[in-house]
Amino acid sequence: MLSKGSNFISLSDFTKEDILATLSLIQSYDDQNLKRFIPNKKKLLANLFYEPSTRTSSSFFSAATLLGHEVLSINEVKFSSVAKGETLEDTIRTLASYVHCIVLRHPEEGSAKKAAAVSDVPIVNAGDGTGEHPTQTLLDVYTIWKHWQKLDGLTITLMGDLKYGRTIHSLIEVLKKFDVNINLIGPKDLRLPKTYGSYLESTELTENLAMGTDVLYMTRVQKERGAKGNYALTKLDAENLPPSSIVMHPLPRVDELPTWFDSDPRAKYFEQMQNGLAVRKCLLDRILG
Ligand code: NCD
């Protein structure tokens, strides 16, 4: 569970009850008077990003600043000693002696764990290669839970780059803890690695699959990781999806989620992105104490 000084690397150690308790806690940071959360003691957070980011880095920045903390942003690692060949471990040891918490995004799977092993301050995993993206997962699950008021009993269809998308990998690990029906849609070359489990897999969102879907969670092709593929939400898919369903996407989107869908009441992705602030405020408040 989230506690003062704890790392946040993965949700795999969270039980179903831990997840539900965390979602209720996040809700207390959602639409609240920010002043309530201004701490007595200002802390310093490092946002260390070795990969591009808009939402994750800026929502961590906002969350920390709104909580009254300060942020050291290092997102152009080419201007740091990383460009001189410094290892991740040495960079982490250095920052850990100047700040109270490090938010890390890195292209290598397992990097957050590696960083936590040498850090004197908590490490928050903001995405480790194709591995996990647990803070994104919290906001994804929070969005579903807030809309449906439950997770058990839902049919969730994951459509996109199932092979390289870390948001998919993290999300599946949490959904597995619930009584959720998971369907997978994606190109043959971008199938889910078997380590995450076996589910009904299809290359297309058929009428039947669409009609039974409560949540359609889409992702882009992870081109920077060598992925190739073509798929998109069609007008027919939109017709087949039930009126009560929601469509989510961690963003950024490319061509798979057309802008004509944005005005559809089932489009949840902008609200999903907004929920990232409550999640990161809650997380930092808990960890920084
Ligand atoms: C995701 C990521 O970085 O994994 N973006 C995000 O944090 N919202 C999704 C992606 O890049 O496709």
Side-chain angles (χ1 to χ4, degrees):
M1 275 294 284
L2 299 174
S3 59
K4 188 166 180 198
S6 66
N7 291 312
F8 185 68
I9 307 295
S10 167
L11 285 162
S12 56
D13 299 337
F14 282 53
T15 62
K16 178 174 175 177
E17 287 66 37
D18 291 340
I19 301 275
L20 289 170
T22 306
L23 296 178
S24 297
L25 192 65
I26 292 166
Q27 198 163 37
S28 70
Y29 288 77
D30 197 352
D31 304 325
Q32 290 270 356
N33 181 354
L34 288 170
K35 288 201 189 99
R36 248 191 69 197
F37 298 112
I38 297 217
N40 299 326
K41 202 164 178 290
K42 189 182 272 198
K43 298 273 173 72
L44 195 51
L45 178 82
N47 245 356
L48 178 61
F49 280 68
Y50 287 72
E51 278 188 345
S53 169
T54 303
R55 279 151 289 272
T56 308
S57 62
S58 54
S59 62
F60 267 113
F61 184 96
S62 291
T65 309
L66 292 169
L67 290 167
H69 302 305
E70 299 261 356
V71 183
L72 168 65
S73 294
I74 304 182
N75 41 30
E76 289 273 11
V77 290
K78 61 175 181 280
F79 295 129
S80 72
S81 284
V82 171
K84 301 179 192 166
E86 188 165 64
T87 62
L88 173 67
E89 283 91 338
D90 283 356
T91 303
I92 293 290
R93 279 187 192 102
T94 307
L95 286 175
S97 53
Y98 304 144
V99 303
H100 299 98
C101 177
I102 300 169
V103 175
L104 173 70
R105 171 169 289 187
H106 193 277
E108 213 176 281
E109 186 172 346
S111 51
K113 220 181 209 170
K114 218 157 108 181
V118 297
S119 178
D120 292 335
V121 300
I123 298 290
V124 175
N125 184 1
D128 61 324
T130 58
E132 299 188 51
H133 192 350
T135 68
Q136 177 70 40
T137 299
L138 275 185
L139 80 90
D140 293 342
V141 176
Y142 179 64
T143 304
I144 299 170
W145 177 81
K146 199 171 150 185
H147 178 82
W148 284 99
Q149 300 285 301
K150 63 172 186 181
L151 290 158
D152 285 332
L154 294 176
T155 295
I156 302 188
T157 302
L158 307 173
M159 176 172 171
D161 184 345
L162 310 170
K163 184 172 181 183
Y164 296 105
R166 58 190 166 207
T167 68
I168 297 266
H169 301 162
S170 274
L171 184 57
I172 285 182
E173 290 296 348
V174 170
L175 294 181
K176 267 190 209 166
K177 300 175 198 271
F178 291 84
D179 183 18
V180 161
N181 182 28
I182 299 175
N183 296 322
L184 305 177
I185 317 279
K188 272 209 195 76
D189 292 343
L190 302 178
R191 289 246 160 103
L192 185 75
K194 285 284 166 268
T195 45
Y196 295 101
S198 294
Y199 303 94
L200 180 69
E201 259 183 271
S202 177
T203 48
E204 257 172 68
L205 184 60
T206 59
E207 183 179 345
N208 258 353
L209 281 170
M211 281 169 55
T213 292
D214 297 313
V215 177
L216 176 66
Y217 185 97
M218 300 190 67
T219 61
R220 72 182 170 93
V221 175
Q222 302 277 305
K223 280 200 178 128
E224 71 274 37
R225 306 189 204 284
K228 281 194 193 98
N230 238 331
Y231 52 86
L233 185 79
T234 64
K235 297 243 171 166
L236 186 62
D237 296 335
E239 265 171 43
N240 291 334
L241 286 166
S244 59
S245 65
I246 55 172
V247 175
M248 298 174 60
H249 194 301
L251 302 174
R253 63 172 153 186
V254 190
D255 303 318
E256 68 284 350
L257 180 51
T259 52
W260 54 256
F261 192 72
D262 293 357
S263 54
D264 191 291
R266 294 168 295 179
K268 266 277 170 193
Y269 30 95
F270 296 128
E271 191 182 318
Q272 178 188 356
M273 168 258 285
Q274 284 161 8
N275 286 334
L277 188 60
V279 167
R280 282 147 187 150
K281 271 193 322 207
C282 173
L283 203 77
L284 291 180
D285 204 29
R286 284 284 139 167
I287 291 175
L288 292 169

